[in-house]
Amino acid sequence: LAIQAYIRIKLMTGMARSDLLRLQPAQHFKEDGIHIQRHKTAGTSGKRTIYDWTPELHAAVQMALAARPVDMAPFLFCTRAGKGYVNEASGESHGWNSMWQRFMDRVLDDTKVTQRFTEHDLRAKCASDAPTLEHARALLSHADGRMTERAYRRKPERVKPLIGL
């Protein structure tokens, strides 16, 4: 259930894995939405993003909170011991990666899904489903739309032909 909630939140927000796994309700959840500063750019641009609450985002967060093995853990997604999945010294999240692989194995065995997908693919789906490049850029907290366009907008561009020529 934790990974299902994680996928829902990721598809709605496009948050990077490291940012999503570092979410702490007491620190990041405010009345108007989820407040984050991208971990990757904290020392450079310091980009901050607020994801406004919607009924769907709120429901996905509640699902994640209910799936936590330790109710009083500071992290939205935590281990059985209540610790975060990201090793701050290395930046890696081996425990989460293992859990994701077991989840993917189960998805392939138990559903009609036939191809593995990665968390990066989910981030790209979020960007591709956004109505505009600017909206996708904002969701992914990119400072510039070029990266969003090059790496994340994967759907073909629809173009209406000119009429009356």
Side-chain angles (χ1 to χ4, degrees):
L1 291 177
I3 291 182
Q4 290 176 21
Y6 175 92
I7 289 171
R8 289 178 186 192
I9 295 168
K10 188 166 196 108
L11 287 173
M12 285 183 254
T13 65
M15 269 188 233
R17 175 179 57 182
S18 66
D19 296 325
L20 198 43
L21 292 179
R22 285 182 171 97
L23 280 181
Q24 297 181 38
Q27 180 181 345
H28 298 108
F29 296 178
K30 311 285 185 196
E31 192 172 309
D32 61 340
I34 300 173
H35 292 235
I36 68 161
Q37 179 176 21
R38 293 272 330 262
H39 185 266
K40 183 177 178 179
T41 59
T44 55
S45 70
K47 179 80 173 147
R48 294 182 178 275
T49 305
I50 301 171
Y51 297 95
D52 291 337
W53 288 118
T54 64
E56 296 82 8
L57 181 56
H58 194 265
V61 165
Q62 291 304 313
M63 182 181 183
L65 287 168
R68 292 190 309 174
V70 179
D71 188 35
M72 295 308 292
F75 296 96
L76 181 61
F77 298 99
C78 61
T79 67
R80 289 185 189 132
K83 298 183 190 273
Y85 281 102
V86 178
N87 177 330
E88 295 299 338
S90 68
E92 297 175 344
S93 50
H94 294 296
W96 183 263
N97 294 344
S98 297
M99 207 163 80
W100 179 268
Q101 291 306 317
R102 288 190 305 273
F103 174 78
M104 283 306 307
D105 290 342
R106 207 167 60 240
V107 165
L108 293 170
D109 288 344
D110 299 345
T111 70
K112 294 180 182 179
V113 174
T114 59
Q115 253 185 321
R116 285 187 176 275
F117 56 89
T118 67
E119 295 182 61
H120 196 262
D121 293 329
L122 296 175
R123 192 161 151 83
K125 178 171 177 26
C126 178
S128 294
D129 288 349
T132 65
L133 174 60
E134 180 57 28
H135 189 190
R137 183 210 58 76
L139 280 168
L140 275 51
S141 296
H142 287 154
D144 186 305
R146 289 178 293 186
M147 171 58 84
T148 311
E149 181 67 36
R150 188 177 79 239
Y152 294 95
R153 297 278 284 185
R154 297 182 181 173
K155 285 184 180 176
E157 188 174 355
R158 286 205 163 276
V159 180
K160 293 187 188 260
L162 294 175
I163 301 172
L165 292 179

